[in-house]
Amino acid sequence: MKISELVEKAGLRSLTDYKDQEIAGVYISDMVSDIITGAKADGILVTLQTHKSLIAAANLVDVAAVVFVRGKKPADDVVQLAKKAGIGLFTIDTDTWSFAKKLNELGIK
Amino acid sequence: MSTCSHRWSMVNIQNGYLVVEGCRQCKARASFFSAEASPPVDDYQDGEHYWTYLGSSQAVKFDLACDECGQVVDLKTMMGLMLSTCNEPDCEVARIAAEGGRGTWVYVAFCADSTHASGRCVSDEGITALGEYFNANINDPNKKIVVVPCRKCKNIDTCDGIVIADTGLVDIY
């Protein structure tokens, strides 16, 4: 599934422009030290964490997009770093569990 | 010299804490990784140093192993990674980033002793393997990760960058 399709089907709100690429997988974590050992390239990362170090970690493992749950939005400097790194940022009002169920229903694992 | 074109995987992944401490006497700073359930916070004397706990963050440690030839690169000396945003004209890390141009991201692998008084830092073998590992997973031809040891920083304690650390995650405010 492409990111644009996920945006439409899951009701994500985009916070940045994004490269509309195939989603290679999904990883859920709120710890940046965990992201560098667990997240995969071209996947999406689901998190509550809005700190800048999240983008530094996501960029290192070449995550395609980050989805902030519970309607969270990062600060402007975080958005700017993500734009520079080409990482799409999205937000959704549901909690992590509900969004994970939605991803599973859509066949993204 | 190995002829293997390595395909690295993370192994020996350990969760724990990166503990930072300072010497009351000479003001030196040092850090170490603790795999204990909670980070050690006791002061202690070690030779001429009187180390005091300054803080800690949740962290992870790992080594790299080649799936092809079985070589394991020990990254015990690496305490963490930092995305460099340094633009000091006389800092080698900033120069490497500038020379790399757009799409080049420089990450500093930092060791336990920011003074490098012992002459030790993250090994060249470790730096090479880290660069190969992270770049192997990148599909964008315009993107490149460059990993450098912290000894290349003009001053790692004041260098601009974003440390990949979970500082404050276990605190309740």
Side-chain angles (χ1 to χ4, degrees), chain A residues 16 22 32 56 58 60 62 66 80 91 102:
Chain A
T16 59
E22 279 296 321
V32 294
L60 185 60
D62 209 25
V66 177
Q80 293 311 315
T91 187
K102 183 72 181 174

PDB file of all heavy atoms in Angstrom, chain A residues 16 22 32 56 58 60 62 66 80 91 102:
ATOM      1  N   THR A  16       3.360  17.523   6.779  1.00  0.00           N
ATOM      2  CA  THR A  16       4.411  17.899   5.816  1.00  0.00           C
ATOM      3  C   THR A  16       4.029  17.319   4.455  1.00  0.00           C
ATOM      4  O   THR A  16       3.167  16.458   4.374  1.00  0.00           O
ATOM      5  CB  THR A  16       5.770  17.269   6.195  1.00  0.00           C
ATOM      6  OG1 THR A  16       5.602  15.851   6.225  1.00  0.00           O
ATOM      7  CG2 THR A  16       6.290  17.760   7.522  1.00  0.00           C
ATOM      8  N   GLU A  22       5.649   3.115  -1.495  1.00  0.00           N
ATOM      9  CA  GLU A  22       5.084   1.893  -0.914  1.00  0.00           C
ATOM     10  C   GLU A  22       5.535   1.787   0.543  1.00  0.00           C
ATOM     11  O   GLU A  22       6.699   2.063   0.866  1.00  0.00           O
ATOM     12  CB  GLU A  22       5.591   0.659  -1.662  1.00  0.00           C
ATOM     13  CG  GLU A  22       4.878   0.334  -2.944  1.00  0.00           C
ATOM     14  CD  GLU A  22       3.403  -0.024  -2.774  1.00  0.00           C
ATOM     15  OE1 GLU A  22       3.053  -0.719  -1.796  1.00  0.00           O
ATOM     16  OE2 GLU A  22       2.606   0.398  -3.627  1.00  0.00           O
ATOM     17  N   VAL A  32      13.574   6.324  21.249  1.00  0.00           N
ATOM     18  CA  VAL A  32      14.445   6.508  20.088  1.00  0.00           C
ATOM     19  C   VAL A  32      15.548   5.458  20.030  1.00  0.00           C
ATOM     20  O   VAL A  32      15.969   5.048  18.943  1.00  0.00           O
ATOM     21  CB  VAL A  32      15.030   7.943  20.022  1.00  0.00           C
ATOM     22  CG1 VAL A  32      13.936   8.951  19.779  1.00  0.00           C
ATOM     23  CG2 VAL A  32      15.822   8.277  21.255  1.00  0.00           C
ATOM     24  N   ALA A  56      16.030  12.255  14.269  1.00  0.00           N
ATOM     25  CA  ALA A  56      17.431  11.840  14.083  1.00  0.00           C
ATOM     26  C   ALA A  56      17.525  10.324  13.996  1.00  0.00           C
ATOM     27  O   ALA A  56      18.279   9.778  13.178  1.00  0.00           O
ATOM     28  CB  ALA A  56      18.297  12.362  15.222  1.00  0.00           C
ATOM     29  N   ALA A  58      14.877   8.209  13.223  1.00  0.00           N
ATOM     30  CA  ALA A  58      14.098   7.751  12.060  1.00  0.00           C
ATOM     31  C   ALA A  58      14.884   7.942  10.770  1.00  0.00           C
ATOM     32  O   ALA A  58      14.845   7.104   9.868  1.00  0.00           O
ATOM     33  CB  ALA A  58      12.771   8.502  11.997  1.00  0.00           C
ATOM     34  N   LEU A  60      18.141   7.936  10.486  1.00  0.00           N
ATOM     35  CA  LEU A  60      19.262   6.991  10.456  1.00  0.00           C
ATOM     36  C   LEU A  60      18.843   5.649   9.860  1.00  0.00           C
ATOM     37  O   LEU A  60      19.609   5.013   9.145  1.00  0.00           O
ATOM     38  CB  LEU A  60      19.810   6.810  11.880  1.00  0.00           C
ATOM     39  CG  LEU A  60      21.052   5.951  12.071  1.00  0.00           C
ATOM     40  CD1 LEU A  60      22.237   6.502  11.293  1.00  0.00           C
ATOM     41  CD2 LEU A  60      21.410   5.859  13.552  1.00  0.00           C
ATOM     42  N   ASP A  62      16.157   5.322   7.909  1.00  0.00           N
ATOM     43  CA  ASP A  62      15.446   5.645   6.664  1.00  0.00           C
ATOM     44  C   ASP A  62      13.947   5.322   6.694  1.00  0.00           C
ATOM     45  O   ASP A  62      13.395   4.776   5.727  1.00  0.00           O
ATOM     46  CB  ASP A  62      16.107   4.945   5.469  1.00  0.00           C
ATOM     47  CG  ASP A  62      15.909   5.734   4.179  1.00  0.00           C
ATOM     48  OD1 ASP A  62      15.715   6.956   4.255  1.00  0.00           O
ATOM     49  OD2 ASP A  62      15.931   5.124   3.098  1.00  0.00           O
ATOM     50  N   VAL A  66       6.305   9.187   9.706  1.00  0.00           N
ATOM     51  CA  VAL A  66       6.026   9.053  11.136  1.00  0.00           C
ATOM     52  C   VAL A  66       4.575   9.453  11.380  1.00  0.00           C
ATOM     53  O   VAL A  66       4.129  10.497  10.877  1.00  0.00           O
ATOM     54  CB  VAL A  66       6.962   9.954  11.978  1.00  0.00           C
ATOM     55  CG1 VAL A  66       6.612   9.867  13.462  1.00  0.00           C
ATOM     56  CG2 VAL A  66       8.424   9.591  11.756  1.00  0.00           C
ATOM     57  N   GLN A  80      10.703  20.947  10.570  1.00  0.00           N
ATOM     58  CA  GLN A  80      11.712  21.383   9.593  1.00  0.00           C
ATOM     59  C   GLN A  80      12.774  20.310   9.365  1.00  0.00           C
ATOM     60  O   GLN A  80      13.199  20.068   8.226  1.00  0.00           O
ATOM     61  CB  GLN A  80      12.382  22.697  10.055  1.00  0.00           C
ATOM     62  CG  GLN A  80      11.460  23.899  10.070  1.00  0.00           C
ATOM     63  CD  GLN A  80      10.680  24.057   8.768  1.00  0.00           C
ATOM     64  OE1 GLN A  80      11.230  23.938   7.677  1.00  0.00           O
ATOM     65  NE2 GLN A  80       9.381  24.307   8.871  1.00  0.00           N
ATOM     66  N   THR A  91      -0.520  13.048  11.664  1.00  0.00           N
ATOM     67  CA  THR A  91      -1.104  12.899  12.993  1.00  0.00           C
ATOM     68  C   THR A  91      -2.498  12.303  12.864  1.00  0.00           C
ATOM     69  O   THR A  91      -3.160  12.448  11.824  1.00  0.00           O
ATOM     70  CB  THR A  91      -1.117  14.248  13.752  1.00  0.00           C
ATOM     71  OG1 THR A  91      -1.536  14.023  15.096  1.00  0.00           O
ATOM     72  CG2 THR A  91      -2.062  15.262  13.097  1.00  0.00           C
ATOM     73  N   LYS A 102      -6.224  -0.632  13.102  1.00  0.00           N
ATOM     74  CA  LYS A 102      -6.593  -0.135  11.775  1.00  0.00           C
ATOM     75  C   LYS A 102      -5.550  -0.562  10.734  1.00  0.00           C
ATOM     76  O   LYS A 102      -5.894  -1.012   9.633  1.00  0.00           O
ATOM     77  CB  LYS A 102      -6.709   1.404  11.829  1.00  0.00           C
ATOM     78  CG  LYS A 102      -7.149   2.040  10.537  1.00  0.00           C
ATOM     79  CD  LYS A 102      -8.616   1.756  10.281  1.00  0.00           C
ATOM     80  CE  LYS A 102      -9.081   2.347   8.981  1.00  0.00           C
ATOM     81  NZ  LYS A 102     -10.469   1.937   8.668  1.00  0.00           N
TER      82      LYS A 102
END
